[in-house]
Structures are given as C-alpha cells and as structure tokens.
Amino acid sequence: MKRLISILLMLFFCSIVFGQQNQNESQIKITIIDFLRWYKENESKLMTSPIVNGYNEDTIKKDSVLRVDMKSVDEYLSNFKKSNYVSDSFLGNLRALYKSISDTLIKHPIVDYFGPVPGLECDLLFGFEPEEILGHIEEGHLSEIYLIYNKALVKFDISKFNQMIFSLTKIDNKRWVIDSLDYDGTNADRAINKKSHTSP
C-alpha cells in the first residue's frame, strides 16, 4: 500500500513538473513571436527624433560632423520599453551599443560624410536583412529550450540558416521577457566548412 501511495505521489509531482514545463514553453514561444511581430510593426515608429546628427541622406552639409544624440537614443529605448517584451538588461545592452558608436565618432570625427553611418549600417538587432527573419515569423518554431529556475535559453528556428538564440527571464512568476537575442550560425558554419572541404 505504501509503495502504491509513493508511486502515485511521484506520478502526481511528475505531471505537475511536465505541466509547468509545457506551460513555460508555450508562454516563451508566444513571447518571442509576439515580440517579433511587434518589432516588425513598430520599429520605424520608435524613433521620435533622429539618433544621428550631422548627416543628411540627400546632401552633404558643409563642415557637418556625425554625432549620435544619446538623448534621442534614450527616448527610443523608453519607447522600446513600453512594448513590455524586453528586460532592462536588453535595453541596457542596446544602449551600450549606441554609446560605443557615439564614443567612436567622438574620438574619430567624421566630417562631410555621405554614406552609411559607421556602426549603424544595418538593423542592430536583425542585421543587414531583417526581412529574412521578420518576413517569416509564422514559420518559426522552438527547436531547443533549456529552463533553469526563472531563466530560459531558447533556439528559435525560422529556416535552415535563419536560427536565433534568445535568453529570457520570467518576472513576477507570470510572464517572460527577452534579455538578449543573437544569431545561431551553426548551420551556416557547417555549410561553409563542408564547401571548403569539398572544394578542389
């Protein structure tokens, strides 16, 4: 009888654990997909004033010096925070990228420049071809997920070569927020290595 009770208790606890894991995985997938949709729809509206000064896409202003306006960056990040999809850590890392670009432009001034702003040639989150990710959101699926307490490390696959890694934190034991995102270049590296080994 005691053995039967022990087995039933073990099964009960296992069902709770697996139920929580499935619920977490579902919430994480919803968070990632909703964030990608939100970014696709709102990215262009987040900047209320130009982040780069001294640059005009149509004409070269005489004696103009490129500068990153950190006040505009902070307004951009404040608007970004309103999405409720990202953590303060995510926003802090994004601000650090802009600050690094700003510091470089101060140390190495660029005058009368017409062309891509160094360091800002592409989308800081999704690279040179963001549409490769944002245009195929519905095709994405979680291929790997690791949960430790209130942290998650997730591999999100959109295609064979468009794979991303997200780290997330569960806050208030209710919802997940994104701490960071990056590309998983594993398959691309394998393809390059395979090609280099087969080349004559």
Side-chain angles (χ1 to χ4, degrees):
M1 184 70 173
K2 286 183 180 179
R3 188 171 180 182
L4 178 61
I5 292 171
S6 297
I7 291 170
L8 289 172
L9 283 173
M10 212 158 77
L11 289 171
F12 174 71
F13 286 119
C14 286
S15 68
I16 290 173
V17 169
F18 286 119
Q20 286 176 338
Q21 184 163 347
N22 288 338
Q23 183 181 11
N24 280 327
E25 288 182 14
S26 176
Q27 289 173 343
I28 287 168
K29 182 175 182 180
I30 290 168
T31 299
I32 291 171
I33 289 176
D34 285 354
F35 165 71
L36 294 173
R37 284 183 188 142
W38 175 86
Y39 187 80
K40 180 181 179 181
E41 292 171 12
N42 295 285
E43 190 272 333
S44 62
K45 305 170 194 170
L46 297 176
M47 290 185 198
T48 51
S49 55
I51 283 179
V52 178
N53 292 327
Y55 172 78
N56 186 311
E57 292 183 2
D58 301 318
T59 60
I60 301 172
K61 294 180 180 178
K62 187 167 176 58
D63 299 326
S64 60
V65 180
L66 284 183
R67 289 282 185 262
V68 172
D69 182 350
M70 289 307 294
K71 184 178 177 184
S72 294
V73 169
D74 289 334
E75 288 173 6
Y76 165 71
L77 296 175
S78 176
N79 291 335
F80 209 132
K81 185 173 184 174
K82 292 173 187 173
S83 73
N84 290 321
Y85 291 114
V86 296
S87 67
D88 289 339
S89 173
F90 180 101
L91 296 170
N93 290 335
L94 193 51
R95 188 183 194 282
L97 283 173
Y98 280 108
K99 185 71 169 80
S100 174
I101 295 165
S102 175
D103 292 346
T104 300
L105 289 174
I106 290 169
K107 287 178 187 173
H108 307 286
I110 298 176
V111 182
D112 295 341
Y113 178 73
F114 182 75
V117 178
L120 296 175
E121 302 95 337
C122 63
D123 185 290
L124 289 182
L125 298 183
F126 298 102
F128 285 99
E129 297 179 348
E131 64 280 356
E132 290 295 317
I133 300 291
L134 302 176
H136 304 277
I137 296 167
E138 306 309 322
E139 297 160 37
H141 66 278
L142 305 182
S143 62
E144 294 181 47
I145 180 164
Y146 301 98
L147 294 168
I148 302 173
Y149 188 52
N150 67 339
K151 300 286 184 183
L153 185 64
V154 177
K155 184 178 176 192
F156 187 74
D157 295 353
I158 289 177
S159 70
K160 185 176 180 181
F161 295 109
N162 284 319
Q163 301 168 321
M164 303 194 71
I165 298 171
F166 288 82
S167 65
L168 302 95
T169 298
K170 193 170 193 179
I171 57 172
D172 303 326
N173 206 27
K174 292 179 182 175
R175 63 186 181 93
W176 291 89
V177 291
I178 296 166
D179 293 320
S180 68
L181 59 90
D182 205 347
Y183 281 97
D184 175 8
T186 305
N187 287 348
D189 289 346
R190 282 184 188 149
I192 290 168
N193 289 335
K194 188 176 180 181
K195 188 175 180 181
S196 66
H197 287 309
T198 56
S199 298

